[in-house]
Structure formats: structure tokens, C-alpha cells
């Protein structure tokens, strides 16, 4: 059996907090790494999948995940994921939606407000899943967006949209933050002790690629993006609910890709 294990976000993003790892017992991770050749990977999961699929442009995350979410809309589609922006002196640190506990009852009124406000701008927002939002535009814009995973935990000012049309997007982000700041749904969240959903993050545009080659016979993991990227390639996908070392013992004799989504608390605990 040949197994490639991909561990996105294994290293804590803040290098100023080395004590997080000091004397931390990680028996399952130790078992896995002790039997492997370790290769640091500078790319994000999106960039890594783009390279494996041989795509010339960025991975069209919105189109890929929308297919799994059952979302079919006209126009140019991007992800517009709900986030919490945390003020840290002069910085605005981005906290992804999957870290702040968003339910559909939170998402629906916020989406309705965004759609009323941006109707004349040709933007239509959708929330088929409470933590995965989308926006459809009438036509493509000359702008580049940074993947959400690359911005998580960092100051958004260094990752704002770039390109000839970027100022429009900067303005829309400012309007969205003002709209959501005073929204009753966020007031209710704060009364429950939850961080407000005070912005969205645009990213993941592009058209679906044709099906290509994939070097692994099986993929194991519950990363939505991995599943969406390989959905048309007739690849066996295995979900796991066990520690990493236990799953590897259940795989058949073939080439496998094993992905541990360590940014989610539950898989992180089970993996390490």
C-alpha cells in the first residue's frame, strides 16, 4: 500500500506562539509521521489540488462546491463565505465561519438583507449551507481574490481584492460590514455569547475544469473541496471517523490520498 497523507494547517499559523507545541502529546500523529517521508508543502489545499489536477488557473472552488450543495444559478459565481472580523489594534483578523458556529437561522436573515441592498448592483447572495455562502454576478470582473484558508487568522488588509475592478469590491466589503454590524441577527448572536457575522470573504471564482487524471485510486477524508474536485473522476472516496492510524489499516492495497482537515476541531482531536 502506498499512502500520501496531506495535513493542511498542521503548523499553528502564528509563529509567535511556540509554547502551543511545547510537550504536547500527539501519539497518533507521532505514529503516522514515524512511518512516513515528510515533505513541507508551501501551497494551500486549493493550490495543491490545482497542481494535482493540472489546472492553468486557480481552482474554481465556488463552482465545485456549488455542485455538491445543489446550487444552480446563472451568472458568475464566487464564494462569499460568512466570517467574523476581530479588531486587533490596527488589524482586522479574519475568523472563518466554521469557527464561530453559524446556523441556518443566522444565515437566512443576513442573506435577505444583502440581497435587498445589492439588488441594483447585480449581486445575488445564496446560503445553501449556513457556513458556505455564494454570490452570483451578472458578468465577470477584472479582479483577483485570495483563498479564505490563506487569510484565516491574518489581517485582511494585506489580502484585499486586487486588479482593475478592485475598488468596487473594496467598497462592497465596506458596505457589507456596515450592514451586518447593526443587524438584529447579530444582536441575537451576541446575546447568546457568539461572535457576530460581520463580513463575508469573496473568493473561489472560475469555471469548472474538464475531468483530468488523478494519481490516487482512493481518497480518504471529509474535506468538501477534495470531494468536489474529484467528483467527476470515478474515484472511490472514503470518509473516516477514526484516528489516522486506524484508518490507514483499513485501506486496500492501492495508492491512497489521505487528507486530515486539521482546521476543524473534531477531526483535529481524532487525528492527533
Amino acid at each position: 500500500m502506498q499512502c500520501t497523507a496531506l495535513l493542511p494547517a498542521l503548523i499553528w499559523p502564528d509563529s509567535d506562539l511556540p509554547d502551543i507545541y511545547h510537550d504536547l502529546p500527539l501519539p497518533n500523529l507521532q505514529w503516522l509521521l514515524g512511518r512516513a517521508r515528510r515533505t513541507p508543502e508551501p501551497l494551500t489545499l486549493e493550490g495543491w489540488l490545482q497542481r494535482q489536477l493540472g489546472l492553468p488557473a486557480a481552482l474554481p472552488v465556488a463552482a465545485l462546491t456549488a455542485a455538491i450543495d445543489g446550487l444552480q444559478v446563472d451568472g458568475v459565481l464566487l464564494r462569499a463565505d460568512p466570517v467574523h472580523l476581530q479588531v486587533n489594534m490596527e488589524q482586522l483578523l479574519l475568523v472563518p465561519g466554521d469557527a464561530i458556529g453559524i446556523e441556518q437561522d443566522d444565515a437566512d436573515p443576513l442573506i435577505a438583507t444583502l440581497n435587498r441592498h445589492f439588488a441594483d448592483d447585480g449581486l445575488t447572495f445564496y446560503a445553501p449551507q449556513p457556513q458556505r455562502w455564494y454570490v452570483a454576478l451578472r458578468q465577470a470582473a477584472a479582479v483577483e481574490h485570495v483563498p479564505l484558508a490563506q487569510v484565516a487568522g491574518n489581517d485582511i488588509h494585506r489580502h484585499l481584492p486586487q486588479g482593475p475592478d478592485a475598488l468596487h469590491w473594496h467598497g462592497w466589503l465596506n458596505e457589507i460590514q456596515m450592514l451586518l454590524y447593526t443587524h438584529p441577527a447579530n444582536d441575537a448572536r451576541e446575546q447568546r455569547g457568539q461572535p457576530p457575522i460581520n463580513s463575508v470573504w469573496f473568493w473561489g471564482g472560475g469555471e469548472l475544469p474538464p475531468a483530468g487524471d488523478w494519481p490516487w485510486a482512493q481518497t480518504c477524508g471529509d474535506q468538501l473541496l477534495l470531494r468536489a474536485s474529484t467528483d467527476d473522476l470515478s474515484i472511490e472516496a472514503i470518509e473516516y471517523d477514526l484516528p489516522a492510524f486506524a484508518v490507514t489499516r483499513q485501506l486496500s492495497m492501492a495508492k491512497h490520498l489521505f487528507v486530515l482537515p486539521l482546521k476543524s476541531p473534531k477531526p483535529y482531536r481524532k487525528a492527533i
Side-chain angles (χ1 to χ4, degrees):
M1 177 183 70
Q2 179 181 344
C3 181
T4 299
L6 186 64
L7 285 69
L10 173 63
I11 305 301
W12 193 263
D14 191 344
S15 60
D16 293 331
L17 298 174
D19 291 342
I20 288 178
Y21 295 111
H22 185 64
D23 291 335
L24 187 65
L26 304 172
N28 295 333
L29 183 62
Q30 183 178 357
W31 183 94
L32 188 65
L33 296 182
R35 290 159 175 78
R37 294 192 305 271
R38 299 179 294 277
T39 304
E41 176 54 71
L43 296 174
T44 62
L45 177 61
E46 293 84 5
W48 187 87
L49 287 171
Q50 174 192 344
R51 185 179 65 192
Q52 299 303 316
L53 293 168
L55 300 180
L59 195 70
V61 175
L64 288 167
T65 58
I68 286 183
D69 287 335
L71 181 64
Q72 297 181 340
V73 298
D74 296 326
V76 178
L77 193 65
L78 285 84
R79 288 276 287 268
D81 288 333
V83 300
H84 171 68
L85 298 182
Q86 179 177 329
V87 178
N88 181 28
M89 300 182 67
E90 296 181 356
Q91 297 181 324
L92 281 178
L93 304 181
L94 186 145
V95 181
D98 61 4
I100 61 173
I102 302 175
E103 302 293 337
Q104 199 67 46
D105 288 344
D106 297 318
D108 289 342
L110 297 176
I111 289 289
T113 295
L114 293 175
N115 281 330
R116 284 193 298 270
H117 183 83
F118 289 103
D120 292 340
D121 292 303
L123 305 182
T124 306
F125 291 83
Y126 301 89
Q129 298 291 332
Q131 296 173 4
R132 273 195 309 279
W133 297 6
Y134 299 82
V135 63
L137 295 80
R138 293 171 185 162
Q139 59 186 15
V143 66
E144 294 182 3
H145 300 281
V146 179
L148 178 64
Q150 191 173 330
V151 190
N154 294 306
D155 181 17
I156 68 167
H157 294 117
R158 294 179 292 169
H159 302 286
L160 291 173
Q162 299 290 322
D165 293 335
L167 289 180
H168 290 296
W169 293 83
H170 295 179
W172 287 338
L173 282 172
N174 287 334
E175 291 180 50
I176 288 170
Q177 290 164 24
M178 289 188 288
L179 281 172
L180 301 186
Y181 179 73
T182 58
H183 199 285
N186 274 324
D187 293 340
R189 284 180 59 85
E190 292 188 279
Q191 289 176 2
R192 298 193 299 267
Q194 295 177 294
I197 304 163
N198 54 12
S199 190
V200 304
W201 192 255
F202 296 115
W203 70 292
E207 298 182 358
L208 281 173
D213 296 326
W214 188 251
W216 293 280
Q218 291 178 319
T219 63
C220 182
D222 60 358
Q223 279 274 8
L224 175 78
L225 186 54
L226 175 68
R227 185 157 50 95
S229 300
T230 59
D231 193 47
D232 293 332
L233 302 179
S234 300
I235 295 168
E236 182 181 2
I238 304 170
E239 293 195 8
Y240 69 87
D241 196 34
L242 295 167
F245 72 93
V247 174
T248 59
R249 292 170 179 169
Q250 296 182 9
L251 299 176
S252 63
M253 299 300 292
K255 293 181 67 176
H256 307 279
L257 174 64
F258 185 53
V259 181
L260 296 174
L262 299 181
K263 280 198 173 181
S264 300
K266 180 180 177 183
Y268 199 114
R269 288 195 300 269
K270 292 188 175 184
I272 63 178

